[in-house]
Amino acid sequence: MGEQLLVVDAPVHDRVWTPDWPLDVRRTLSRDRRGTGDPTLRYAEDGVWRTTTTPDGPATVRLTGGPAAIRVQVWGPGAGWAGEAAPRWLGAEDRPDDFDPTPHPLVARLHRGAPWLRLGSTGRVWDALLPAVLEQKVTGIEAHRTFRELLRLAGEPAPGPAPAGMRVVPSAERVLAVTDWQWHGCGLDGARRRALRAVASVASRLEAGVHDDCADLRRRLQSVPGIGVWTAAEVAQRAVGCPDSVSVGDYHLKNLVGWSLAGRKTDDDGMLALLEPWRGHRQRVVRLLEVGGSMPPKRGPRMAPTQYRSI
């Protein structure tokens, strides 16, 4: 029995990858983590675990070691694809060499202090699109709760010996099969439900063999009803690793940029004006500010989550 269990738990793909920069796996992947209870990305004592869809089926990846050598172990039908893609998740294809942080002293200081920062790309639009739609116009707490509930309802269990409760993002077909009363139980309102069904109905046309054209991906996403500039930017940043994509329309981002770079609140136009000196790397500057920038003082009540399940 022990030998059989060992065979079942043995990874399909197992290799050691050596980055050429001081990689910090947890910090690099933190932006893709949908709260501490994210069923698709788990930080555990035995490594960082992540599930993904692939063209060949689901996969579970475990990343251990670092910063000089990362062991990549993968289980599931999509193990080969995911194993080859994992370095790209961590920023292996990012090209920051021509980035000049000097137009602002804070950006220059943050850049010196974050040599680990690279912009990763997953190559999987659907994996980024589903949670992005759930995050439209609601608090992060509410979006993360709905994401967990949906994956518990419709997600496939993670292949291999993943930590308990890990799931794979459900397929577009499975999402379309979710009934209205099940959506209500997940806490999803009508507007986001309609947007999610719209993208699920065309999900196969949004994926591509190679995702390397950020502008084209954003254009195709925005052609779907319910997908605006913000959602398209959030997806492109993760799927393609766009170094210049900015999430215009974000509730907090404009004030993070304005307060950090100019000491004042601003609107989206003001944010873009402040980021203009770094055109071509504006998303990189945003990521640096997320690491060490500052927000204006909070003087009003926080936005409370809406309990859609009680409506």
Side-chain angles (χ1 to χ4, degrees), residues 43-78:
Y43 294 173
E45 292 183 0
D46 61 347
V48 174
W49 294 80
R50 187 177 194 178
T51 65
T52 182
T53 64
T54 82
D56 305 317
T60 301
V61 179
R62 179 169 67 176
L63 303 168
T64 54
I70 307 297
R71 187 178 184 186
V72 181
Q73 297 173 287
V74 197
W75 294 260

Coordinates of all heavy atoms in Angstrom, one line a residue, residues 43-78:
Y43 N 0.2 29.1 0.4 CA 1.5 29.2 1.0 C 1.5 28.2 2.2 O 0.8 28.4 3.2 CB 1.8 30.6 1.5 CG 1.9 31.6 0.4 CD1 2.1 33.0 0.7 CD2 1.9 31.3 -0.9 CE1 2.2 34.0 -0.2 CE2 2.0 32.3 -1.9 CZ 2.1 33.6 -1.6 OH 2.2 34.6 -2.6
A44 N 2.4 27.2 2.1 CA 2.4 26.2 3.1 C 3.9 26.0 3.5 O 4.8 26.5 2.9 CB 1.9 24.8 2.5
E45 N 4.0 25.2 4.6 CA 5.4 25.0 5.1 C 6.2 24.2 4.1 O 7.5 24.4 4.1 CB 5.3 24.2 6.5 CG 4.7 25.0 7.6 CD 4.7 24.2 8.9 OE1 5.2 23.1 8.9 OE2 4.2 24.8 9.9
D46 N 5.6 23.4 3.3 CA 6.4 22.6 2.4 C 6.4 23.2 1.0 O 6.7 22.5 0.0 CB 5.8 21.2 2.3 CG 4.4 21.1 1.8 OD1 3.7 22.2 1.8 OD2 3.9 20.0 1.5
G47 N 6.2 24.5 0.9 CA 6.3 25.2 -0.4 C 5.1 26.0 -0.8 O 4.1 26.2 0.0
V48 N 5.2 26.6 -2.0 CA 4.0 27.3 -2.5 C 3.3 26.4 -3.5 O 4.0 25.9 -4.5 CB 4.5 28.6 -3.2 CG1 3.4 29.3 -3.9 CG2 5.2 29.6 -2.2
W49 N 2.0 26.2 -3.3 CA 1.2 25.4 -4.2 C 0.3 26.2 -5.0 O -0.3 27.2 -4.5 CB 0.4 24.4 -3.3 CG 1.2 23.4 -2.5 CD1 1.8 23.7 -1.3 CD2 1.4 22.1 -2.8 NE1 2.4 22.5 -0.9 CE2 2.2 21.5 -1.8 CE3 1.0 21.3 -3.9 CZ2 2.6 20.2 -1.8 CZ3 1.4 19.9 -3.9 CH2 2.2 19.4 -2.9
R50 N 0.2 25.9 -6.3 CA -0.7 26.6 -7.2 C -1.4 25.7 -8.2 O -0.7 24.8 -8.7 CB 0.1 27.7 -7.9 CG -0.8 28.6 -8.8 CD 0.0 29.7 -9.4 NE -0.9 30.8 -9.9 CZ -0.4 31.9 -10.5 NH1 0.8 32.0 -10.7 NH2 -1.3 32.8 -10.9
T51 N -2.7 25.8 -8.4 CA -3.4 25.1 -9.4 C -3.6 25.9 -10.6 O -3.6 27.2 -10.6 CB -4.7 24.6 -8.9 OG1 -5.6 25.7 -8.7 CG2 -4.6 23.8 -7.6
T52 N -3.7 25.3 -11.8 CA -3.9 26.0 -13.0 C -4.7 25.1 -14.0 O -4.6 23.9 -13.9 CB -2.6 26.4 -13.6 OG1 -2.8 27.2 -14.8 CG2 -1.7 25.3 -14.0
T53 N -5.4 25.8 -14.9 CA -5.9 25.1 -16.1 C -4.8 25.1 -17.1 O -3.9 25.9 -17.0 CB -7.2 25.7 -16.6 OG1 -6.9 27.0 -17.1 CG2 -8.3 25.8 -15.6
T54 N -4.8 24.2 -18.0 CA -3.9 24.2 -19.1 C -4.6 23.6 -20.4 O -5.7 23.1 -20.3 CB -2.6 23.2 -18.9 OG1 -3.0 21.9 -19.2 CG2 -2.2 23.3 -17.4
P55 N -4.0 23.8 -21.6 CA -4.6 23.2 -22.7 C -4.8 21.6 -22.6 O -5.6 21.1 -23.4 CB -3.7 23.5 -23.9 CG -2.9 24.7 -23.4 CD -2.8 24.5 -21.9
D56 N -4.1 21.0 -21.7 CA -4.1 19.6 -21.6 C -4.9 19.1 -20.4 O -5.0 17.9 -20.2 CB -2.6 19.0 -21.5 CG -1.8 19.5 -22.7 OD1 -2.3 19.4 -23.8 OD2 -0.6 19.9 -22.4
G57 N -5.4 20.0 -19.6 CA -6.1 19.6 -18.4 C -5.6 20.3 -17.2 O -4.6 21.0 -17.2
P58 N -6.2 20.0 -16.0 CA -5.7 20.7 -14.8 C -4.4 20.2 -14.3 O -3.9 19.2 -14.7 CB -6.8 20.3 -13.8 CG -7.3 19.0 -14.3 CD -7.3 19.1 -15.8
A59 N -3.7 21.1 -13.5 CA -2.4 20.7 -12.9 C -2.3 21.4 -11.6 O -2.8 22.5 -11.3 CB -1.3 21.2 -13.9
T60 N -1.5 20.8 -10.7 CA -1.1 21.4 -9.5 C 0.5 21.5 -9.4 O 1.2 20.5 -9.8 CB -1.5 20.5 -8.3 OG1 -2.9 20.3 -8.3 CG2 -1.0 21.1 -6.9
V61 N 0.9 22.7 -9.1 CA 2.4 23.0 -9.1 C 2.8 23.2 -7.7 O 2.2 24.0 -6.9 CB 2.7 24.2 -10.0 CG1 4.2 24.5 -10.0 CG2 2.2 23.9 -11.4
R62 N 4.0 22.7 -7.3 CA 4.6 23.0 -6.0 C 6.0 23.6 -6.3 O 6.8 23.0 -7.0 CB 4.8 21.8 -5.1 CG 5.4 22.2 -3.7 CD 5.4 21.1 -2.7 NE 6.2 20.0 -3.1 CZ 6.3 18.9 -2.3 NH1 5.8 18.9 -1.1 NH2 7.1 17.9 -2.7
L63 N 6.2 24.8 -5.7 CA 7.5 25.5 -5.9 C 8.2 25.5 -4.5 O 7.6 26.0 -3.5 CB 7.2 26.9 -6.4 CG 6.4 27.1 -7.7 CD1 6.0 28.5 -7.9 CD2 7.3 26.6 -8.8
T64 N 9.4 25.1 -4.5 CA 10.2 25.1 -3.3 C 11.6 25.6 -3.6 O 12.0 25.6 -4.7 CB 10.3 23.6 -2.7 OG1 10.8 22.7 -3.7 CG2 8.9 23.2 -2.2
G65 N 12.3 25.9 -2.5 CA 13.7 26.4 -2.6 C 13.7 27.9 -2.9 O 12.8 28.6 -2.7
G66 N 14.9 28.4 -3.4 CA 15.1 29.8 -3.7 C 16.1 30.4 -2.8 O 16.4 29.9 -1.7
P67 N 16.6 31.6 -3.1 CA 16.3 32.3 -4.4 C 17.1 31.9 -5.6 O 16.8 32.2 -6.7 CB 16.6 33.8 -4.0 CG 17.7 33.7 -3.0 CD 17.4 32.5 -2.2
A68 N 18.2 31.1 -5.3 CA 19.1 30.7 -6.4 C 18.6 29.6 -7.2 O 18.9 29.4 -8.4 CB 20.5 30.4 -5.8
A69 N 17.8 28.6 -6.6 CA 17.3 27.5 -7.3 C 15.9 27.1 -6.9 O 15.7 27.0 -5.7 CB 18.3 26.3 -7.1
I70 N 15.0 27.0 -7.8 CA 13.6 26.7 -7.6 C 13.3 25.3 -8.1 O 13.5 25.0 -9.3 CB 12.7 27.7 -8.2 CG1 13.1 29.1 -7.9 CG2 11.2 27.4 -7.9 CD1 13.0 29.5 -6.4
R71 N 12.8 24.4 -7.2 CA 12.3 23.1 -7.6 C 10.9 23.2 -8.0 O 10.0 23.7 -7.3 CB 12.5 22.1 -6.5 CG 12.2 20.7 -7.0 CD 12.4 19.6 -5.9 NE 12.2 18.3 -6.4 CZ 12.2 17.2 -5.6 NH1 12.4 17.3 -4.3 NH2 12.0 16.0 -6.2
V72 N 10.6 22.7 -9.2 CA 9.2 22.8 -9.8 C 8.7 21.4 -9.9 O 9.2 20.6 -10.7 CB 9.2 23.5 -11.2 CG1 7.8 23.5 -11.7 CG2 9.8 24.9 -11.1
Q73 N 7.7 21.0 -9.1 CA 7.1 19.7 -9.2 C 5.6 19.9 -9.6 O 4.9 20.8 -9.0 CB 7.1 19.0 -7.8 CG 8.6 18.8 -7.3 CD 8.6 18.3 -5.9 OE1 8.4 19.0 -5.0 NE2 8.9 17.0 -5.7
V74 N 5.1 19.0 -10.5 CA 3.8 19.2 -11.0 C 3.1 17.9 -11.1 O 3.7 16.9 -11.5 CB 3.8 19.9 -12.4 CG1 2.5 20.4 -12.8 CG2 4.9 21.0 -12.5
W75 N 1.8 17.9 -10.8 CA 0.9 16.8 -10.9 C -0.3 17.1 -11.8 O -0.7 18.2 -11.9 CB 0.4 16.4 -9.5 CG 1.4 15.9 -8.5 CD1 1.7 14.6 -8.2 CD2 2.3 16.7 -7.7 NE1 2.6 14.5 -7.2 CE2 3.0 15.8 -6.9 CE3 2.5 18.1 -7.6 CZ2 4.0 16.2 -6.0 CZ3 3.4 18.5 -6.7 CH2 4.2 17.6 -5.9
G76 N -0.9 16.0 -12.4 CA -2.1 16.2 -13.2 C -1.9 16.1 -14.6 O -0.7 16.1 -15.1
P77 N -3.0 16.0 -15.4 CA -2.9 15.9 -16.9 C -2.1 17.0 -17.6 O -1.5 16.8 -18.6 CB -4.4 15.9 -17.3 CG -5.1 15.5 -16.1 CD -4.4 16.0 -14.9
G78 N -2.2 18.2 -17.0 CA -1.5 19.4 -17.6 C -0.1 19.6 -17.0 O 0.4 20.7 -17.2

